[in-house]
Amino acid sequence: MERSIVFVHGTGVRATSYNATLDVVRAALDKPDREVRGCFWGAAEGAKFVCGGTSVPGYRTSGGGRTEADDEDIAVWGVLYADFGYELRLLGLRPAPTSGMGRGTPPSRRFFDAIQAFRPSTDAVAVFRGYGLLDDLADALRAVQASPELRDAAATVDENGYEHRHAVARAIVAAALSAAAERGADAVDGVARDALLAMLSSDLHSQSRALPGKVRQAAVKPALRALTRRAANQRGALSDGVLPMTGDILRYQARGEGVRQLIRRTIEHAPGESVTVLAHSLGGVACVDLLAMEDLGRRVDQLITIGSQAPFFYECGALASVEYPETLPGHFPRRWLNIYDPWDLLAYRAAKVFPLHASDVEVSNGQPFPFAHSAYWTNSTVWDAVRTWLG
């Protein structure tokens, strides 16, 4: 494989819309000699009401029925089907636990060796065979065991290791179901998927022989479900609508390191000799910051930003990486394509701000703002420009 394209989404994007856009990008750019990889940062690093919206007057919870957490869980499975290493990659970005003075094999080595030696139980094999997924299970297990995401996640495991083992189980199930879908097999429903996950989680947890039966039963369920908060009046509804887009921008400006490191790790794990980074909106700001702050080597030789605010942030002194009169460092990619629609009020020109690196292409999405900001993906002119740039 000659080249990977790493797609980084923009502000306000969550799992459902991310999955849909990633499918469009892959359909437009996937070729035998290049692969599109996604970097989904919205769930882990996007803005959310960490106190349940209690700062908003009149914001109340609602009860009963399907919750937003249920919908988010379904959407995150969609991310895992496209990228089974997603949760493991997030775990790999955590700080390593503080090690004591004790002797013996450290938890990271015990965890990694246990996953390498893991073999599903007879019961688990029977369940996967019943759904026609036995070969997919074997391939998925090998893929997860060989993944760089597993090695990185192992470095941050603690003595308990529950969350890491559960992420491994979800990765295996996601990889198996994705492989089955690619060969044309019928999809299983969520109940069946959760049964497969329960069997693998139980096997992984029982290897330690430290968990009693009742605890193992509890362990096969998702560890945590976020509390759902629904708007009860107009102000609450407005807050829900504004939070993802505006909140992501504010959060990035205050605590952008997590987004940048997730992008960096995705680039490092991407296959191929060369990497093109394709970023939308706030994702373009984060990528410009990352590529300016860190020298990722000559492998990252192209940057494509679409509807990005990076030039504007630089002009008003809000770009984290570079402040006027300084400009982009020498290791920054010299090939930077910046696509903008004048009707998109969140899109800016870069060529005159960064003349040694950026080239602008103006397009028309035929939509007013804010629709213009997300309409790039169905604009054939955008894809013509990107394909020409990729050569």
Side-chain angles (χ1 to χ4, degrees):
M1 181 178 299
E2 296 181 2
R3 179 174 296 277
S4 286
I5 299 173
V6 172
F7 167 63
V8 184
H9 68 81
T11 183
V13 174
R14 297 300 182 260
T16 301
S17 56
Y18 165 79
N19 291 334
T21 304
L22 181 59
D23 286 343
V24 173
V25 174
R26 281 180 165 157
L29 299 180
D30 254 343
K31 290 178 61 177
D33 62 343
R34 68 185 183 214
E35 178 179 337
V36 175
R37 289 285 182 95
C39 178
F40 175 50
W41 56 263
E45 297 295 336
K48 58 178 69 70
F49 283 131
V50 294
C51 297
T54 55
S55 63
V56 182
Y59 195 98
R60 302 193 303 269
T61 62
S62 63
R66 193 180 70 187
T67 68
E68 292 173 1
D70 294 329
D71 291 341
E72 182 68 12
D73 187 57
I74 293 172
V76 170
W77 272 108
V79 175
L80 287 168
Y81 294 147
D83 178 11
F84 69 79
Y86 165 66
E87 290 183 323
L88 293 172
R89 191 176 303 120
L90 292 180
L91 291 173
L93 291 171
R94 291 183 176 180
T98 303
S99 58
M101 300 300 292
R103 298 179 179 179
T105 307
S108 58
R109 173 50 61 183
R110 290 202 304 271
F111 171 81
F112 186 79
D113 290 346
I115 301 303
Q116 295 300 316
F118 172 69
R119 296 295 180 271
S121 67
T122 303
D123 290 341
V125 167
V127 173
F128 275 84
R129 181 185 288 113
Y131 287 107
L133 297 170
L134 190 56
D135 290 341
D136 301 302
L137 171 63
D139 292 342
L141 178 58
R142 286 193 292 269
V144 173
Q145 289 172 329
S147 67
E149 288 88 350
L150 176 64
R151 292 194 298 272
D152 289 347
T156 68
V157 76
D158 57 16
E159 290 287 348
N160 179 17
Y162 164 74
E163 191 173 4
H164 287 65
R165 289 192 295 271
H166 191 72
V168 168
R170 281 167 66 95
I172 295 171
V173 171
L177 295 181
S178 178
E182 288 182 2
R183 61 178 174 79
D186 291 335
V188 301
D189 66 6
V191 174
R193 180 203 61 220
D194 291 345
L196 299 174
L197 175 62
M199 294 301 300
L200 285 186
S201 293
S202 181
D203 285 353
L204 283 166
H205 290 294
S206 64
Q207 284 187 0
S208 66
R209 301 291 183 184
L211 298 176
K214 290 184 178 180
V215 176
R216 283 202 300 272
Q217 284 187 344
V220 301
K221 298 178 181 178
L224 295 173
R225 283 188 179 275
L227 294 176
T228 183
R229 304 283 184 176
R230 295 182 184 271
N233 58 15
Q234 290 185 348
R235 181 165 182 179
L238 179 62
S239 298
D240 281 343
V242 169
L243 176 69
M245 179 170 287
T246 305
D248 282 358
I249 296 172
L250 295 174
R251 177 174 168 79
Y252 177 78
Q253 291 298 94
R255 296 178 178 85
E257 182 64 13
V259 176
R260 291 192 292 270
Q261 292 312 303
L262 184 54
I263 296 170
R264 178 178 62 81
R265 194 60 58 89
T266 305
I267 292 171
E268 290 174 349
H269 290 166
E273 299 173 2
S274 303
V275 175
T276 298
V277 178
L278 169 63
H280 178 235
S281 187
L282 183 63
V285 176
C287 289
V288 169
D289 278 338
L290 172 65
L291 295 173
M293 290 175 170
E294 299 189 34
D295 185 353
L296 301 186
R298 295 182 179 180
R299 187 164 169 261
V300 183
D301 60 346
Q302 295 179 347
L303 171 65
I304 303 174
T305 54
I306 299 179
S308 178
Q309 305 87 49
F312 173 72
F313 279 17
Y314 175 77
E315 275 213 275
C316 62
L319 194 65
S321 56
V322 183
E323 184 176 7
Y324 183 84
E326 294 181 359
T327 189
L328 298 172
H331 63 255
F332 194 94
R334 289 282 176 160
R335 287 180 53 80
W336 175 6
L337 173 64
N338 180 65
I339 298 176
Y340 71 96
D341 178 351
W343 279 94
D344 175 9
L345 302 185
L346 293 177
Y348 294 86
R349 296 182 295 186
K352 291 186 178 181
V353 179
F354 302 111
L356 297 180
H357 299 83
S359 299
D360 288 332
V361 170
E362 179 181 316
V363 300
S364 174
N365 294 328
Q367 291 278 23
F369 185 79
F371 302 100
H373 189 57
S374 57
Y376 293 97
W377 311 119
T378 55
N379 186 340
S380 61
T381 305
V382 170
W383 294 118
D384 289 343
V386 169
R387 293 190 191 98
T388 300
W389 185 263
L390 289 171

